[in-house]
Amino acid sequence: MMIDVLYFAWVRERIGLPRERVTTEAATVADLVAELIQREDRYAAAFAEVTALRVAVDQVLTGFDAPLSGAREVAFFPPMTGG
Amino acid sequence: MKVIVQQAAFDAGALVNTFTAAQAGMGAIVTFQGVVRGDGGLARMEIEHYPGMTERALTAIATEAAQRWSLGNVLVIHRHGSLAPGEVIMMVATAAPHRADAFAAADFLMDYLKSRAPFWKKEYAADGAAENATWVAAKDADEAALARWQGAGNV
């Protein structure tokens, strides 16, 4: 399946791009992270401390154990600082 | 209910006047504005956001507030992009028959949009150098503040 993967704030800076289309058979967000880490060092650096990150699937905040079946968009970012 | 996300500055006074004039039977209007502080020689702040999810998250938070308190209306406006000290970042306005609901709902909106709306702030010092810019870290206190509103549903 094809998924748009988005990165924000320092995750975007470490990976070096704001979004990309990924072909994956990952069942969960955690599986997708494991695949990305295998790609290149910059992904490993961005995902080194997964507890410091948040994830949204199809624009809804969720957990790393969330399933990806049917998902179109997955976003990774640090804890939010609005207001 | 109205949620606005924009780069441009907004006229808070005009927005509050329009908001207030549109409420029938509401005895209380509460507004809060967040302003960029110039602490530590801060020259400007860049606010990044997640277009699409931002509007969705703010709407979910405002909907939750409207379900928890007796409100006539809610307005949330939040800027992104480059902001200098003294500029208004965002504003919430709540209208309710009585002030307790208007205050509580505004307080709730602020707590939630601080750590549940997808905005990230980067601070630039006076030298403006990108390599010296730092991402604002979320505070444990911000997360702890949400515990005050336990059972807050889906936001």
Side-chain angles (χ1 to χ4, degrees):
Chain A
M1 63 183 167
M2 303 274 271
I3 295 184
D4 286 321
V5 184
L6 284 68
Y7 311 107
F8 292 96
W10 58 255
V11 182
R12 171 179 54 73
E13 291 178 341
R14 281 188 199 176
I15 291 173
L17 76 176
R19 66 188 298 154
E20 60 186 320
R21 184 155 287 182
V22 171
T23 302
T24 178
E25 294 309 318
T28 65
V29 171
D31 293 343
L32 175 63
V33 170
E35 283 182 13
L36 292 171
I37 286 173
Q38 290 303 314
R39 287 179 156 195
E40 283 178 55
D41 286 351
R42 58 198 170 105
Y43 290 92
F47 291 107
E49 264 187 85
V50 111
T51 54
L53 296 181
R54 301 290 179 266
V55 60
V57 173
D58 289 334
Q59 303 190 352
V60 175
L61 211 55
T62 187
F64 283 79
D65 56 351
L68 287 183
S69 79
R72 299 195 315 192
E73 189 171 296
V74 177
F76 296 101
F77 41 80
M80 296 157 275
T81 53
Chain B
M1 181 188 305
K2 198 167 185 182
V3 166
I4 303 167
V5 181
Q6 66 180 40
Q7 185 160 0
F10 57 86
D11 183 338
L15 278 175
V16 173
N17 287 339
T18 304
F19 182 81
T20 301
Q23 311 313 321
M26 295 296 122
I29 309 288
V30 165
T31 68
F32 172 87
Q33 292 175 55
V35 180
V36 180
R37 285 190 311 265
D39 296 359
L42 178 85
R44 67 187 174 92
M45 178 180 272
E46 288 279 350
I47 301 179
E48 182 172 334
H49 80 117
Y50 182 173
M53 181 175 168
T54 308
E55 291 79 358
R56 205 169 164 152
L58 292 176
T59 301
I61 294 165
T63 302
E64 181 72 29
Q67 284 166 0
R68 290 169 64 109
W69 289 280
S70 172
L71 299 179
N73 206 353
V74 181
L75 167 70
V76 180
I77 180 165
H78 203 301
R79 294 179 62 193
H80 59 90
S82 183
L83 286 92
E87 285 195 68
V88 176
I89 305 171
M90 51 74 60
M91 181 174 79
V92 299
T94 56
H98 303 286
R99 74 175 187 276
D101 283 341
F103 272 118
D107 204 12
F108 169 90
L109 288 167
M110 287 313 304
D111 277 349
Y112 269 83
L113 70 83
K114 262 196 121 54
S115 44
R116 290 292 182 272
F119 291 99
W120 301 274
K121 294 180 182 132
K122 194 171 194 181
E123 295 180 336
Y124 289 76
D127 62 9
E131 63 271 25
N132 295 331
T134 51
W135 290 101
V136 174
K139 297 184 187 74
D140 290 343
D142 292 340
E143 199 60 36
L146 301 187
R148 291 199 292 147
W149 313 102
Q150 264 178 8
N154 300 320
V155 294

